[in-house]
Amino acid sequence: MADHPVDEKLPPLKMATTGLQHVAAMYAGVVAPPLIVGAAIGLTATELTFLTGACLFTAGLATFLQTLGIWKIGARLPFVNGVTFAGVAPMTAIVASTEDKSDALPIIFGAVIVAGLLGFVAAPFFSKAIRFFPPVVTGTVITLIGISLLPVAFGWAQGASPEADDFGSATNLGLAAITLVIVLLLRRFTRGFVKQIAVLLGLVAGTLIAIPFGVTDFGPVADASVVGFPTPFHFGAPQFQLAAILSMCVVMVVSMTESTADMLALGEIVDRKADEKVIAAGLRADTLGSAISPLFNGFMCSAFAQNIGLVAMTKIRSRYVVAAGGGFLVLMGLCPMAASLIAVVPRPVLGGAGVVLFGSVAASGIQTLVRASLDKDNNVLIVAVSLAVGIIPIAAPEFYHSFPENAKIILDSGISTGCVAAVLLNLIFNHIGGRGREAEDVTHPMEAGTEISEASRAPATP
């Protein structure tokens, strides 16, 4: 009996090239979180290079766990794992609330370890609670992730530092715009592999164009060694603070929700249904990978949705191809010079590409919401209120200024608050005594239901 396409082992050359394609599709997504968090802390170029390499290395380890699997760990589907975007906003909030910035990463690492271990224990129970995380919840959360990160791209587009003289200059904004246009042109007029790596090609082109303007610094590459290893606890032993742990536990729930939705989608694409057993195994890989990641100075890991689209497009369903991609990630993490290349890219260039990258995440959330039956009054209200709650930290950054600092770590993360709001509202409207209103169709959340409207227009009985 022939192997299922998911378990097919391709020839070495094809395995390597298609594995690299998966890395190309998600590379920018892996390096963005350490860039954001590292910049918030104020890391030097050398430290930023180290953190980026560590995240590449741990993404490779997590991908091995997910694709190859051990015991009851790993969905054994063609999943690429990497640093989840959901953790960026809470981590930057932790950085902002930490007086001594040298303690920020140890506090983050401690919180991620605890959240990962708790998630590992909760994985089999979480897989049974799928019905509480329908598209109306997952779509709202994914949309908020993209919206919450767009301000980061806009900040990058203005320059490296608000204190710099050229921050927001026409040159910086022009470089961001040029990079954005290049990415859009590549996406519009190319096909196949080139189209998949349009963001990377845009970063390369934008960096080259920026050289004559004197904003490209090749120092990090010159200072980086060819071979290195992400020394365990390089930034200090993990510290455990309750508020940070609670914040990252919320992120873990968000991450597990995303991964569950991704597994369900990928199972359909590769024709191997992701049942409760597969989802539990996949969540164990995500959470264990997240718990191990801080040991090597990495962040929380989750499945990358963009690679699901790559599987659908190429029709190559082998999990061993993605495992090969994980091998490349590990090798890149062990080569600081390769990891340092991203540090060369000027912030305005990153900003231009970031508009596409983060905007695509929001678009993915909107695609999920399309399947969320938004013709139902209940679901429209869930999305409306949850998005509003999640956008508060972006639209009104000082909204929670009178709250305790520990509470603000969670409240200042629109992703966390929006996720909690979506889950609670979904329970209230669609599970707890909400059956009677479930079938109501409305054209606008502020309009009355059909039955009420007709009754109000009916003439009174004399």
Side-chain angles (χ1 to χ4, degrees):
M1 180 175 165
D3 288 337
H4 189 283
V6 168
D7 300 315
E8 182 182 3
K9 295 181 179 178
L10 305 181
L13 181 59
K14 189 172 184 180
M15 188 94 73
T17 54
T18 50
L20 273 175
Q21 184 169 245
H22 274 282
V23 173
M26 54 86 75
Y27 181 87
V30 173
V31 300
L35 281 172
I36 298 170
V37 177
I41 295 172
L43 297 182
T44 65
T46 302
E47 291 173 330
L48 197 58
T49 297
F50 183 92
L51 187 63
T52 303
C55 287
L56 289 168
F57 179 78
T58 54
L61 297 182
T63 299
F64 285 151
L65 276 177
Q66 194 66 270
T67 55
L68 303 179
I70 53 173
W71 184 57
K72 296 181 180 180
I73 301 170
R76 292 170 174 82
L77 290 172
F79 264 125
V80 174
N81 273 47
V83 181
T84 175
F85 277 110
V88 173
M91 286 191 293
T92 53
I94 292 171
V95 172
S97 64
T98 304
E99 290 187 12
D100 186 351
K101 300 306 179 187
S102 63
D103 290 332
L105 283 176
I107 291 172
I108 290 172
F109 291 151
V112 172
I113 290 173
V114 174
L117 293 176
L118 290 176
F120 185 84
V121 174
F125 304 101
F126 194 92
S127 65
K128 298 178 186 295
I130 298 174
R131 66 193 184 96
F132 296 113
F133 296 90
V136 69
V137 174
T138 56
T140 300
V141 172
I142 296 170
T143 301
L144 278 173
I145 291 171
I147 293 174
S148 296
L149 291 175
L150 278 172
V152 174
F154 302 148
W156 282 348
Q158 296 178 82
S161 172
E163 286 76 32
D165 293 336
D166 64 345
F167 188 75
S169 66
T171 298
N172 287 348
L173 297 181
L175 288 172
I178 290 171
T179 304
L180 175 59
V181 169
I182 291 172
V183 173
L184 292 176
L185 290 175
L186 288 171
R187 291 290 298 178
R188 174 62 181 86
F189 295 106
T190 61
R191 295 181 180 180
F193 181 63
V194 174
K195 185 174 183 178
Q196 283 297 320
I197 62 171
V199 172
L200 272 182
L201 294 177
L203 290 174
V204 173
T207 301
L208 293 176
I209 293 172
I211 292 176
F213 296 95
V215 295
T216 305
D217 179 16
F218 289 95
V221 178
D223 296 336
S225 57
V226 178
V227 180
F229 184 79
T231 311
F233 301 131
H234 174 80
F235 295 97
Q239 299 179 27
F240 303 95
Q241 290 190 3
L242 181 59
I245 291 172
L246 290 175
S247 179
M248 297 313 295
C249 281
V250 172
V251 175
M252 179 56 71
V253 172
V254 174
S255 177
M256 292 171 77
T257 302
E258 288 182 63
S259 291
T260 298
D262 290 343
M263 278 183 269
L264 292 171
L266 186 60
E268 294 290 333
I269 292 172
V270 302
D271 194 26
R272 176 177 280 182
K273 186 177 180 180
D275 56 18
E276 186 180 306
K277 181 179 178 181
V278 171
I279 290 173
L283 292 178
R284 287 192 189 99
D286 269 6
T287 53
L288 182 61
S290 295
I292 294 174
S293 184
L295 303 179
F296 299 100
N297 313 284
F299 298 139
M300 188 177 291
C301 295
S302 179
F304 266 47
Q306 55 263 52
N307 291 85
I308 297 175
L310 189 57
V311 172
M313 185 195 72
T314 62
K315 308 299 182 186
I316 298 175
R317 296 179 277 179
S318 171
R319 60 191 173 101
Y320 295 104
V321 164
V322 176
F328 284 117
L329 288 171
V330 170
L331 290 175
M332 292 170 73
L334 296 175
C335 179
M337 183 171 287
S340 70
L341 291 175
I342 194 66
V344 171
V345 181
R347 291 292 170 82
V349 173
L350 276 175
V355 170
V356 177
L357 184 65
F358 303 152
S360 296
V361 176
S364 297
I366 295 171
Q367 288 177 326
T368 303
L369 286 174
V370 170
R371 307 195 304 270
S373 300
L374 293 185
D375 55 335
K376 306 299 182 185
D377 181 29
N378 294 352
N379 289 344
V380 170
L381 290 175
I382 292 169
V383 175
V385 175
S386 300
L387 285 177
V389 171
I391 291 173
I392 285 175
I394 303 171
E398 300 300 319
F399 190 82
Y400 299 112
H401 74 276
S402 64
F403 283 72
E405 289 298 323
N406 289 340
K408 286 198 289 186
I409 290 179
I410 296 175
L411 295 174
D412 284 343
S413 168
I415 298 168
S416 301
T417 54
C419 176
V420 171
V423 172
L424 291 178
L425 289 172
N426 180 58
L427 286 172
I428 293 170
F429 279 97
N430 292 332
H431 291 275
I432 303 174
R435 297 297 179 188
R437 290 175 50 80
E438 192 169 321
E440 287 187 8
D441 294 344
V442 295
T443 56
H444 190 280
M446 296 305 293
E447 291 183 8
T450 304
E451 295 178 3
I452 298 174
S453 298
E454 294 298 330
S456 65
R457 287 195 292 267
T461 303

